[in-house]
Amino acid sequence: MSSTALHDLGVAQLAAALRGGQVSAVEAAQHFLARARSHQHLGAYVALNEDATLAQAREQDASIAAGTAAPLAGVPIAHKDIFVTRDFPTTAASRMLAGYRSPFDATVVARLAGAGCVTLGKLNCDEFAMGGTNENSAVAPVGFDSPQPVRNPWDGARVPGGSSGGSAAAVAARLAPAVTGTDTGGSIRQPASFCGVTGIKPTYGRASRYGMIAFASSLDQAGPMARSAEDCALLLSAMCGPDPDRDSTSLDRPAEDFGRALGDSLEGLRIGVPAEFFGEGLAADVHAAVDAALKEYEKLGARLVPITLPRTDLSVPVYYILAPAEASSNLSRFDGVRYGYRASQYSDLLDMYKKTRAQGFGDEVKRRIMIGTYVLSEGYYDAYYLQAQKLRRMIAGDFQQAFKECDLIAGPVAPTTAWRLGSQNDPVANYLADIYTLPASLAGLPGMSVPAGFGEGGLPVGLQLIGNYFQEARLLNAAHRLQQATDFHLRAPEGI
């Protein structure tokens, strides 16, 4: 097999080529490492370790030769820099963790390694996964001496989405066939939409959070991003499973084959279309692409059902009370005492705390810590935090009411396509861009973004699919059938 074709293969195709001996794991790893370095202007990678990567590849070549290979033996993968890894530094894209090396791998990393994946490196993200543009990274990507935002491969002047922007950009630019991301309020789905790739957030608790640096513990969930739903099904099957001894939020449900329903007929499938997802604020080009995708589903035998999610507009204030509250608690551990950054000059312990946190955290992280501390403070807890928790339960109830009328819910991922770097300096405007992804996150439901076409300027548009709890296989099949009927997921940015 010609090495020039390797980056055009998806996970399933590459796994088959590796098992068939058409290419070795070492050759695949070397090819993608070379691409990572030749495309470092995108700012996608923050750490590479060629020796560690090639050592893993040689182990997988040996297992293939011995006939003991795991399903994804030799398939290269890159991880969002929010998962701790032994062989690569883990910074959460923050100065606070500069140079940190974990003594263990996150469960998600370990399970994918157990399935045979070879780690290429760590991927850029918003600091502590806080942001929707990937402009909040505080570490220097590979090839740079200072922090840089990740650039969207479809237009280098635009954001890739966040916080998993490095992950989405790496798949779109063919720098890795598979990546991991995390989704707290839409951080897999939104960058997947902006970069024209496929990404899925499973039901909360499906994938272990052990070794995933916490932002908002009741919302954070790991998930894969790749070019196709078929590839995501393979990756998700390897990632998920109970981990009760190390993660108290892990669900006691056995691992399953999420690709088992791929190819099933969509005849009679009821797809709910929420009126609240198609109102004022949705850009015309996004609306057109999503409508075209819904029409494609009708051709495949599905039936569109009008539904309502009446508290959609409340999801933004609810999320931006609850998530910062949890963040303020989780990030209190970064105080300069045990590990991470410590201010070089201080007068006493309290002064060290203050200066360490002021210097170590970026603006967006500090903003969310202050919001969270405020809503949890005496006199405001009942007025804000407690009320937000009650509304969260109501939002989850709205979904359950909707699922009495439909099997899946479909709509846009974001109100617009990717905007220009530096063009949105108002934090509240960035928060409002999460309006369509936040409800499913607050409810803990599985959701995904599927390439659905292109808007103005040739920028990708994603279709969001949301399922009821534990309906990942149904979601992936619906995405797969759409991808069998369209080719949006196969298209690559010009010059890549």
Side-chain angles (χ1 to χ4, degrees):
M1 176 179 293
S2 169
S3 63
T4 57
L6 285 178
H7 57 270
D8 287 326
L9 299 178
V11 173
Q13 297 168 305
L14 189 52
L18 286 156
R19 286 195 304 271
Q22 296 165 275
V23 64
S24 71
V26 168
E27 289 171 336
Q30 289 173 329
H31 179 79
F32 282 101
L33 286 171
R35 285 189 63 79
R37 295 196 183 279
S38 66
H39 290 75
Q40 60 190 28
H41 62 281
L42 294 173
Y45 279 91
V46 292
L48 297 171
N49 182 345
E50 187 170 331
D51 290 341
T53 298
L54 294 181
Q56 292 180 26
R58 285 191 287 271
E59 288 180 11
Q60 295 306 319
D61 279 334
S63 71
I64 291 170
T68 59
L72 300 177
V75 173
I77 193 168
H79 297 291
K80 183 178 180 178
D81 195 30
I82 212 77
F83 295 98
V84 300
T85 44
R86 285 182 300 178
D87 294 330
F88 300 83
T90 301
T91 69
S94 177
R95 186 183 185 193
M96 189 62 84
L97 281 172
Y100 175 69
R101 298 295 288 257
S102 170
F104 64 94
D105 285 332
T107 295
V108 163
V109 173
R111 284 184 170 160
L112 286 163
C117 290
V118 172
T119 301
L120 293 169
K122 303 298 283 295
L123 296 163
N124 210 343
C125 58
D126 282 308
E127 184 179 5
F128 284 101
M130 298 183 191
T133 65
N134 223 140
E135 294 174 286
N136 297 328
S137 176
V139 298
V142 173
F144 291 89
D145 296 324
S146 61
Q148 301 289 326
V150 179
R151 296 180 179 275
N152 192 317
W154 291 91
D155 181 346
R158 296 182 182 268
V159 301
S163 63
S164 306
S167 299
V171 175
R174 311 301 195 253
L175 311 186
V179 299
T180 55
T182 60
D183 192 308
T184 305
S187 291
I188 286 174
R189 289 162 287 163
Q190 189 232 43
S193 175
F194 283 4
C195 291
V197 302
T198 307
I200 181 168
K201 176 194 87 74
T203 302
Y204 177 79
R206 278 282 207 183
S208 173
R209 291 176 47 252
Y210 181 73
M212 188 172 82
I213 297 172
F215 161 17
S217 301
S218 74
L219 294 156
D220 298 341
Q221 189 60 190
M225 302 166 81
R227 286 169 57 192
S228 71
E230 180 185 14
D231 291 348
C232 283
L234 289 169
L235 296 163
L236 193 64
S237 298
M239 290 171 62
C240 291
D243 192 20
D245 294 336
R246 295 183 294 185
D247 174 15
S248 61
T249 64
S250 173
L251 295 171
D252 187 19
R253 290 181 70 94
E256 56 182 270
D257 175 13
F258 291 110
R260 65 184 182 277
L262 295 185
D264 282 3
S265 171
L266 299 187
E267 195 68 40
L269 181 76
R270 299 171 302 164
I271 297 179
V273 182
E276 294 79 5
F277 282 25
F278 292 88
E280 184 180 354
L282 180 62
D285 56 344
V286 175
H287 200 315
V290 171
D291 277 349
L294 294 175
K295 287 183 173 62
E296 202 64 51
Y297 272 121
E298 288 185 300
K299 293 178 187 176
L300 293 168
R303 180 163 57 90
L304 303 185
V305 180
I307 61 167
T308 182
L309 296 172
R311 294 177 179 87
T312 294
D313 61 336
L314 295 176
S315 63
V316 174
V318 168
Y319 177 86
Y320 283 102
I321 288 172
L322 298 180
E326 295 184 21
S328 69
S329 177
N330 280 325
L331 271 62
S332 65
R333 72 193 70 179
F334 299 104
D335 54 13
V337 175
R338 288 155 291 189
Y339 54 83
Y341 175 78
R342 178 185 293 181
S344 58
Q345 295 182 334
Y346 47 87
S347 58
D348 55 29
L349 183 62
L350 182 59
D351 190 45
M352 185 199 76
Y353 287 157
K354 290 180 178 178
K355 287 181 177 175
T356 292
R357 290 170 69 79
Q359 296 168 17
F361 290 133
D363 289 345
E364 182 61 28
V365 175
K366 285 188 276 194
R367 184 180 296 114
R368 298 196 191 196
I369 289 173
M370 288 190 289
I371 292 171
T373 303
Y374 177 82
V375 301
L376 290 176
S377 62
E378 185 177 0
Y380 297 101
Y381 178 91
D382 289 348
Y384 292 103
Y385 184 77
L386 193 59
Q387 292 302 315
Q389 288 286 25
K390 291 177 180 178
L391 284 168
R392 181 182 188 175
R393 174 54 55 193
M394 293 178 186
I395 289 168
D398 288 344
F399 275 106
Q400 292 310 305
Q401 193 64 34
F403 281 125
K404 292 178 181 178
E405 304 172 41
C406 63
D407 303 306
L408 297 178
I409 295 171
V413 175
T416 67
T417 55
W419 52 84
R420 291 190 174 276
L421 288 160
S423 66
Q424 285 200 14
N425 296 316
D426 178 5
V428 176
N430 281 331
Y431 298 165
L432 291 172
D434 298 334
I435 183 71
Y436 304 135
T437 56
L438 291 177
S441 292
L442 290 166
L445 294 166
M448 65 185 300
S449 177
V450 189
F454 296 88
E456 292 182 10
L459 295 170
V461 175
L463 172 74
Q464 181 174 205
L465 297 175
I466 301 168
N468 209 344
Y469 301 112
F470 313 118
Q471 293 296 307
E472 290 86 357
R474 173 178 274 173
L475 273 182
L476 288 159
N477 177 52
H480 178 66
R481 292 305 306 272
L482 180 65
Q483 291 179 339
Q484 287 180 316
T486 62
D487 70 346
F488 301 125
H489 65 295
L490 299 176
R491 299 188 194 180
E494 188 176 347
I496 294 299

